[in-house]
Amino acid sequence: MENKMKAIKCPFCGSQAYNRYGKTKDGLQRYRCLVCNKQFTEKSKPNSIKRPSCPQCGQKMYVYMKTQKFIRWRCSRYPECSTYLKIALEEENNVVLPAQSEGAYSSPNPDN
């Protein structure tokens, strides 16, 4: 009897170095990549949302809050740079579009 293993690759970095990392609430096997430390399942797809750059300092921004209608991004230099972006989501295609009424914000007090 031949042991056939599936060729599982990390959907984020393409590495085949991973550990089993428990199960999801739906019972799927969860894995953790040993290269990029991201968690994934065999059905995982890489995140198609591109990270914006901070308009204040130029650094990468990270998701701070996500709802069905928008994503709020925070500067990776927080708390030194307190700039954030609120970007509306288009519901049909889940495409990220700039919010119409809101854009880049920073704290009125630069020391905060």
Side-chain angles (χ1 to χ4, degrees), residues 95-111:
V95 175
V96 176
L97 298 174
Q100 294 186 0
S101 62
E102 301 183 47
Y105 296 92
S106 61
S107 174
N109 184 355
D111 295 333

Side-chain angles (χ1 to χ4, degrees), residues 56 78-84 105-112:
Q56 193 81 12
Y78 180 84
E80 291 88 24
C81 177
S82 59
T83 304
Y84 68 91
Y105 296 92
S106 61
S107 174
N109 184 355
D111 295 333
N112 287 346

Side-chain angles (χ1 to χ4, degrees), residues 48-63:
S48 61
I49 297 174
K50 302 295 182 205
R51 276 198 259 171
S53 296
C54 176
Q56 193 81 12
C57 67
Q59 296 295 315
K60 290 181 183 179
M61 298 189 89
Y62 294 95
V63 174

Side-chain angles (χ1 to χ4, degrees), residues 12-61:
F12 303 98
C13 71
S15 172
Q16 290 182 329
Y18 59 86
N19 286 333
R20 290 186 300 170
Y21 204 63
K23 302 246 181 190
T24 66
K25 64 180 180 181
D26 297 325
L28 294 173
Q29 179 65 55
R30 182 177 301 171
Y31 303 96
R32 186 172 77 39
C33 178
L34 296 175
V35 175
C36 67
N37 287 322
K38 295 194 183 258
Q39 295 179 27
F40 64 95
T41 66
E42 290 184 42
K43 295 183 179 183
S44 294
K45 295 179 184 174
N47 194 351
S48 61
I49 297 174
K50 302 295 182 205
R51 276 198 259 171
S53 296
C54 176
Q56 193 81 12
C57 67
Q59 296 295 315
K60 290 181 183 179
M61 298 189 89

